[in-house]
Amino acid sequence: MPVVPTHPTTTPDPDVLRWVIPDGLLSFTGEVAQAPALLQELMDDGTLRSVRVDGGGVLTLLGTGHDWHTEGARVRSALVDALGAPKSWKGAATARASGPDDALEAAARQIADGSLGTFVNSHGGALVVHSVRDGVVEIAMEGACDHCPAAEITMHARFEHLLRRRCPWLVEVRRVDE
């Protein structure tokens, strides 16, 4: 079974850790109804109150009376084991199926809203994800970026490069006008 790289990040809620996973690994977003054995055991015994899949991550909420200092290593081991069998995960009835374009769109929006978006905003511009279809991401460069000669460099050398690293199935990034 392959080992899937993951690492935790904090959230505003100290009982919740977000575990960063490869984009597109799991085929749904939303609450987890069933997980591979070791992770399911933590859900069943109340160590984890809930497990939720979101774009490029798994959110784990500790159960009452548990803390990350005591349970962190056990949760990490169970999660890494479970990620090695992604087809064994089942979403709750409210979960939404997620395909390659969904994962690509989530990653594109995270990049546009993250440090690259902050950089673009600091120059009076905006990078807006318009659509994702068949591996093609359409973005608009707005504000000061609209007629800036460096916009193409930002779009390809920065945005596209970061997105391709996360989602190697990316076909193309295209610029669209508003």
Side-chain angles (χ1 to χ4, degrees):
M1 178 168 26
V3 175
V4 175
T6 186
H7 67 274
T9 59
T10 58
T11 68
D13 182 342
D15 288 337
V16 176
L17 281 180
R18 182 177 190 275
W19 301 83
V20 177
I21 64 171
D23 293 288
L25 178 67
L26 299 173
S27 62
F28 66 92
T29 59
E31 287 294 321
V32 174
Q34 182 180 345
L38 295 177
L39 187 59
Q40 187 66 47
E41 182 180 308
L42 296 179
M43 293 165 59
D44 292 344
D45 73 10
T47 301
L48 292 173
R49 187 176 327 158
S50 80
V51 177
R52 181 175 184 78
V53 177
D54 75 353
V58 175
L59 294 163
T60 51
L61 171 62
L62 281 175
T64 305
H66 295 277
D67 64 80
W68 286 113
H69 179 73
T70 306
E71 304 294 353
R74 201 170 121 201
V75 171
R76 176 193 284 277
S77 293
L79 183 61
V80 167
D81 176 74
L83 292 171
K87 293 191 184 319
S88 299
W89 292 60
K90 301 234 182 318
T94 56
R96 189 176 137 252
S98 178
D101 280 348
D102 298 308
L104 187 58
E105 182 172 359
R109 291 189 187 284
Q110 286 172 358
I111 292 167
D113 293 341
S115 60
L116 181 58
T118 301
F119 169 77
V120 170
N121 291 341
S122 75
H123 291 90
L127 190 153
V128 180
V129 176
H130 273 265
S131 67
V132 177
R133 183 176 170 170
D134 299 327
V136 176
V137 177
E138 292 185 335
I139 65 168
M141 303 293 289
E142 300 176 347
C145 294
D146 190 27
H147 298 292
C148 176
E152 292 299 314
I153 294 168
T154 300
M155 184 176 84
H156 292 294
R158 291 189 173 197
F159 179 79
E160 184 174 352
H161 172 75
L162 291 170
L163 187 55
R164 193 170 299 284
R165 280 181 49 202
R166 287 183 57 179
C167 303
W169 62 90
L170 170 67
V171 173
E172 178 184 8
V173 172
R174 285 188 200 143
R175 186 172 176 179
V176 296
D177 294 325
E178 276 286 276

